[in-house]
Each structure stands twice: as C-alpha cells, then as structure tokens.
Amino acid sequence: TFDAEMESSVQPFWGAGGQVVIGDRAYFDVTLSRFKRTGERAFVFNNETFPLGIPVTARITPLELVGGIRFRKISSVIPYAGGGVGWYGYTEESPASVPSENVDASHAGFVLQGGAEFAIQKWLALTGDVQYTHVPGILGTGGVSGQLGEDDLGGLAVRVRLVFVLTR
C-alpha cells in the first residue's frame, strides 16, 4: 500500500520516549512516534499499480509500551530484548475524497524488539535495534490495501535512538 501511494514501503518515523531500568537488568520503555507523508492515490489492475495524481496524506501515530531484559554489559555495549503492546492510530485523507473514502482507524498490536545500547559518555548513549510490530485490523478492508491483500499495518523496522542517561 505504501509502496503504491508513497512510492516506497520504507518510511521514517520521528518520536520521543522514556525508559526506566530496574537493577541494571529489566527495562520498561514508552515511545510515542509519528509518521506523516503525502503521496497520491493509486489503482491496481492485474497486480500492476497505477498512480492517479490525486493527493493523499497518511498519518500513523504509535504509542508503544515495551518491557524487557538487558543482558550483561560487554565493554561499553549492553544488548537487550523485549516485547510489549502498542496502540496505533491511522488516518488517510485526500482533499478530493468524500468523507466516507477517508480512513480514521486505530487498533492495538504487539511489539518485539532486540538491539544494543552503546555508551558514548556517562550521560549519553546511542541505541540501535530491530523491531517487529504486528497491527492487524486497520488495512485490508478496501482500497489498494484490500486489492493487494495487505492486512497488517506493522512490519519490520530498524531504529536508532539517542538516549540521555539520568543515572547510571
């Protein structure tokens, strides 16, 4: 769907969050992020996608709560893995559409993640992780996502975060 409407299935999200670490092992993380991009409506015929030249703006707003374990520190690197839940808001609007053609939906999903934290300074770290989300129930009810058989708003993501450490 995003490949057809936004010319790429890879899209950037921006956000912020907070993390609490208990006993240098367990962590609880909350992240609020946002994606917004304008592309164009498309039409699918014989599995080929044709852009229609009609602007469409998609927004995704995830709120994710994740808990997990931090493994033993190796030099200045701390590997971690976790899982949790998220709530995902999705809107899709076009100025050329009637209100019933626009999408305004939300759904819960689950999150799995694994990565590593790299200490830069005592108060600053950089994390890199891979995150998988599964968010059924928003896509696939009609339009291009229905024609292409896509029913999951989630997928695989690579994340990079700059972390300000309050205590270590």
Side-chain angles (χ1 to χ4, degrees):
T1 300
F2 285 92
D3 200 24
E5 292 184 349
M6 307 297 169
E7 298 182 346
S8 176
S9 59
V10 176
Q11 301 294 332
F13 280 70
W14 295 95
Q19 184 180 83
V20 175
V21 178
I22 300 171
D24 288 335
R25 295 284 293 176
Y27 74 90
F28 298 96
D29 192 293
V30 60
T31 304
L32 178 64
S33 54
R34 176 128 177 161
F35 159 82
K36 178 183 175 185
R37 178 119 186 236
T38 299
E40 61 182 292
R41 294 238 187 248
F43 173 73
V44 177
F45 180 72
N46 287 339
N47 289 327
E48 191 172 345
T49 305
F50 300 94
L52 297 175
I54 302 168
V56 61
T57 300
R59 290 179 189 87
I60 303 172
T61 308
L63 172 62
E64 296 166 329
L65 304 172
V66 174
I69 184 114
R70 293 162 49 102
F71 300 102
R72 194 166 59 112
K73 188 175 186 178
I74 304 165
S75 184
S76 62
V77 178
I78 303 170
Y80 59 87
V85 297
W87 291 268
Y88 303 84
Y90 178 72
T91 62
E92 187 177 289
E93 299 172 327
S94 176
S97 298
V98 296
S100 63
E101 293 175 322
N102 293 327
V103 177
D104 186 359
S106 62
H107 204 279
F110 73 81
V111 180
L112 297 173
Q113 65 181 212
E117 178 181 304
F118 305 89
I120 298 171
Q121 297 285 329
K122 182 177 181 175
W123 54 272
L124 187 65
L126 186 68
T127 68
D129 60 46
V130 175
Q131 177 171 300
Y132 173 75
T133 56
H134 177 62
V135 187
I138 291 179
L139 298 179
T141 59
V144 172
S145 67
Q147 292 172 324
L148 296 175
E150 296 177 0
D151 61 357
D152 189 347
L153 184 64
L156 200 58
V158 175
R159 302 184 323 155
V160 176
R161 300 183 295 168
L162 188 60
V163 178
F164 296 97
V165 180
L166 300 179
T167 62
R168 203 182 273 278

